Amino acid sequence: MFAVAPRPDGILLDSNEFRFPLPKRFLKRVADELWPVDLRCYPDFAEVEKIKVALARDLGVEPDNLLLGVGSTELLDLISRAFGERDHRIVTPIPSFPMYAHYANLNDRKFVPVPLDDDLSLSSKVAEALLREPGSKSFYVCSPNNPTGLSIERETFDALASDPRAILCLDEAYAEYSGRSFVTEAATRDNVVVTRSFSKIGLAGCRFGYAVASKNLIRELAKAALPYALNSLTLRIAQIFIEEMPLIRAVVEDVKRERARLSTALANLPGFHPYRSDANFLLCAAPGDAAALARRLIELRKIWVRPFSPQSRLRDCLRIAVGSPEDNDILLDALRQESTIHAPRSE
């Protein structure tokens, strides 16, 4: 069972949210254009179709290649329900997004974890292990991967998509930060679904996502979808968001530049080792007890980062969302102080 804790105060770098201000023009349009929405009525199907047309134009696919959902999480659950029987397997390279195992359990599927390589990549060796899994299956692959930040390579995608017994579900929630996407390939293959979300580029509070797949797969997914899943306010905001996407992507570029600055600064701290990331967060090895460091950051500075369980292979790491430059400077100052206070003393 997954429980969501109340939102804490402080600098929140633990949930991979978009920490930069949204463009003022977008926010003004939201304020001006939401008030005519008639909250007494169910969402208008014409609004859904209008969004699909605009989104398809932006992605270079057709509207019939799209299915909208409540964030990508609803769609990932939908995929696990729509395809396969009880013996169907959800095969996932780990560590990755923990909800994949939850969807498998929820929908009476068998969850099969396959460890990533020593460098945390989905290497050809890992891909071969995924492909060796017998029977009916779905590959759930997060690219860029949460929590490692690494993207899937083209040859790995081709290998996994070539298995005729499998559905390849590619979770691209962070793809805007990587410059690499397989949406056009998904639109032309009958065993690939790409899920995307606006949550990581500024609309986490609206819960808007979409799936891209062949028209045949979209029809099958739509059979399992609930009617009126997206509310009228989210639909209107999403339409404005798509229309203002050039402004949003300009801010995404700012986040990517700040990611590089934060990574360099962390690498210059004693004992810290940030891994390369294609996402809006950094996985960073920390000196000493990483979980204890995360607790001290909360207690002393109200800075929230994500530690890992003592049983995880990432137990010596922290996952740090790329915050605003101001928030990142506060984090770096706190980590410098921690490095000084807890540095080993020479005899």
Side-chain angles (χ1 to χ4, degrees):
M1 178 178 176
F2 278 77
V4 179
R7 190 173 184 84
D9 294 326
I11 296 174
L12 308 181
L13 305 177
D14 59 332
S15 296
N16 298 344
E17 293 167 324
F18 191 79
R19 305 309 303 170
F20 277 50
L22 286 166
K24 290 181 180 179
R25 190 170 81 183
F26 164 74
L27 294 175
K28 184 178 186 307
R29 285 193 61 188
V30 169
D32 291 344
E33 297 179 33
L34 277 192
W35 68 267
V37 175
D38 192 341
L39 299 179
R40 299 168 300 172
C41 300
Y42 286 110
D44 187 350
F45 182 73
E47 288 295 313
V48 173
E49 292 304 301
K50 184 178 176 183
I51 288 173
K52 287 168 64 176
V53 168
L55 197 52
R57 187 183 305 117
D58 183 63
L59 296 170
V61 298
E62 296 183 31
D64 288 345
N65 292 125
L66 294 168
L67 181 67
L68 308 186
V70 183
S72 55
T73 51
E74 184 206 16
L75 296 163
L76 291 163
D77 178 39
L78 188 66
I79 293 163
S80 69
R81 281 189 280 118
F83 301 122
E85 303 299 330
R86 280 196 170 190
D87 61 348
H88 190 80
R89 298 160 184 255
I90 290 180
V91 189
T92 299
I94 60 165
S96 193
F97 188 39
M99 288 295 289
Y100 302 150
H102 181 63
Y103 301 141
N105 294 332
L106 197 64
N107 296 300
D108 206 15
R109 306 294 190 244
K110 182 179 180 182
F111 183 70
V112 182
V114 176
L116 290 169
D117 220 331
D118 292 341
D119 63 356
L120 300 179
S121 69
L122 205 172
S123 63
S124 58
K125 181 175 71 175
V126 177
E128 288 167 6
L130 294 170
L131 289 163
R132 280 197 300 270
E133 190 63 31
S136 170
K137 57 185 176 286
S138 296
F139 300 127
Y140 271 51
V141 177
C142 189
S143 180
N145 186 36
N146 174 18
T148 65
L150 299 178
S151 300
I152 188 174
E153 299 294 336
R154 159 64 68 175
E155 54 267 29
T156 305
F157 170 85
D158 288 338
L160 296 178
S162 69
D163 188 337
R165 304 165 302 168
I167 295 289
L168 172 56
C169 176
L170 203 57
D171 178 358
E172 290 191 354
Y174 300 92
E176 289 284 354
Y177 298 98
S178 72
R180 183 182 304 177
S181 175
F182 293 95
V183 292
T184 53
E185 289 84 351
T188 59
R189 294 177 182 249
D190 270 333
N191 69 329
V192 177
V193 184
V194 168
T195 61
R196 301 283 294 269
S197 172
F198 285 174
S199 293
K200 304 306 178 183
I201 56 173
L203 287 191
C206 283
R207 310 302 299 127
F208 178 88
Y210 56 93
V212 184
S214 70
K215 295 174 185 179
N216 289 336
L217 280 186
I218 290 295
R219 278 193 292 269
E220 290 304 309
L221 282 173
K223 292 175 184 177
L226 294 173
Y228 303 123
L230 285 164
N231 67 74
S232 299
L233 296 176
T234 291
L235 289 171
R236 187 72 201 102
I237 293 171
Q239 179 68 41
I240 300 169
F241 198 75
I242 295 165
E243 292 169 0
E244 300 295 346
M245 192 58 76
L247 290 178
I248 303 300
R249 289 194 173 122
V251 185
V252 167
E253 290 302 313
D254 291 339
V255 176
K256 289 163 68 175
R257 283 188 285 271
E258 183 63 14
R259 178 182 68 194
R261 184 183 80 92
L262 178 60
S263 180
T264 299
L266 287 169
N268 287 329
L269 294 177
F272 287 86
H273 172 71
Y275 290 84
R276 180 179 68 80
S277 175
D278 297 327
N280 69 336
F281 60 84
L282 294 169
L283 180 69
C284 187
D289 187 334
L293 173 58
R295 289 193 295 271
R296 289 196 299 272
L297 289 174
I298 296 170
E299 292 164 2
L300 301 176
R301 305 293 285 268
K302 287 192 173 182
I303 300 171
W304 297 74
V305 296
R306 180 61 59 86
F308 296 89
S309 75
Q311 293 75 37
S312 170
R313 66 187 286 191
L314 301 180
R315 58 187 172 274
D316 296 327
C317 296
L318 299 172
R319 193 193 67 193
I320 304 169
V322 178
S324 67
E326 297 78 13
D327 286 348
N328 290 337
D329 286 342
I330 294 171
L331 168 69
L332 290 166
D333 180 64
L335 293 177
R336 287 189 195 98
Q337 291 187 32
E338 286 292 318
S339 298
T340 301
I341 294 170
H342 296 279
R345 297 182 182 275
S346 57
E347 296 296 334

